[in-house]
Amino acid sequence: MYTRHALEQRLEAKGYTVESVDVALTNIQELGLQSDSEYVEKLARYKWRTAKWAPTRIRMTLRQKGVAADDIDAGMRLAFGDTDCSTSHEDTFEEQPVCDWMGQLKIAARLQFAKSARTDPETRRRRLVHWLLRRGHKWDVVRDVLGELEAEAKLEAKQRAQEAEIGGQDER
């Protein structure tokens, strides 16, 4: 699947005139064979599902690919939605908007955080912050996720210490 801009570049590189390329692409878009908003939706879902890219990073990538702002907005609404996600969509085969994106992000971040469990706390913190920032997440999101994961880590350490203390008393 290609954006209109990418198709224009490919066809013009093959020697077709700008006018003929424009007419041909308009025709295939009218027939529903090419849609930039559909491209946006598919790319956004893929990047979210595989790499947890933030919507801002996805938008930036799409702008670099020459996708129009209206198509980006339409595709992002399809992918991330601006609807009530509490309604059931079980009877449709269409992909539904990413509703609990923050919950999904925390799950992915928790896995990343666990990978550096044997490192010192500052290194662990820095690695998670950079992992989230590289994906385009805003500092507010990074701070919330980091705060929650650090609180969970402290609670787990406290529980392990209590279990070790109880285990030591049982041996006596």
Side-chain angles (χ1 to χ4, degrees):
M1 181 173 255
Y2 295 98
T3 64
R4 180 182 176 105
H5 181 72
L7 291 171
E8 286 171 349
Q9 288 180 326
R10 286 172 167 252
L11 292 171
E12 289 170 10
K14 292 199 179 262
Y16 293 99
T17 64
V18 174
E19 297 81 24
S20 63
V21 168
D22 189 49
V23 169
L25 292 178
T26 301
N27 286 338
I28 66 169
Q29 283 183 323
E30 288 173 355
L31 291 171
L33 299 174
Q34 194 278 333
S35 169
D36 277 356
S37 60
E38 187 177 318
Y39 175 85
V40 169
E41 177 189 8
K42 292 200 181 309
L43 181 87
R45 287 182 190 280
Y46 175 76
K47 290 299 185 183
W48 174 257
R49 187 176 54 249
T50 60
K52 297 299 182 242
W53 276 19
T56 52
R57 178 152 184 208
I58 295 168
R59 284 179 185 277
M60 181 181 66
T61 300
L62 290 163
R63 280 193 301 271
Q64 291 171 347
K65 290 179 177 274
V67 179
D70 292 343
D71 290 324
I72 292 174
D73 292 340
M76 294 295 281
R77 269 194 306 280
L78 290 170
F80 288 97
D82 56 0
T83 60
D84 178 20
C85 291
S86 62
T87 58
S88 174
H89 300 286
E90 294 173 5
D91 56 342
T92 65
F93 291 104
E94 296 178 17
E95 284 193 74
Q96 300 306 318
V98 176
C99 293
D100 184 22
W101 69 271
M102 188 63 158
Q104 292 176 17
L105 180 62
K106 286 179 182 176
I107 290 169
R110 196 171 283 118
L111 291 172
Q112 282 299 120
F113 202 57
K115 287 179 182 178
S116 59
R118 296 180 189 264
T119 61
D120 66 279
E122 189 56 38
T123 300
R124 190 176 192 200
R125 175 186 177 95
R126 188 181 67 249
R127 285 180 180 173
L128 182 65
V129 167
H130 289 288
W131 183 81
L132 290 165
L133 290 175
R134 277 192 309 272
R135 281 153 181 77
H137 295 284
K138 295 179 180 175
W139 182 248
D140 293 343
V141 172
V142 173
R143 188 179 57 236
D144 291 347
V145 170
L146 183 64
E148 186 170 322
L149 295 181
E150 285 182 328
E152 287 176 8
K154 287 179 185 176
L155 182 62
E156 288 173 9
K158 184 177 179 181
Q159 288 173 343
R160 279 195 303 273
Q162 288 174 343
E163 288 171 2
E165 185 177 301
I166 291 171
Q169 291 176 356
D170 290 342
E171 291 176 6
R172 290 183 206 169

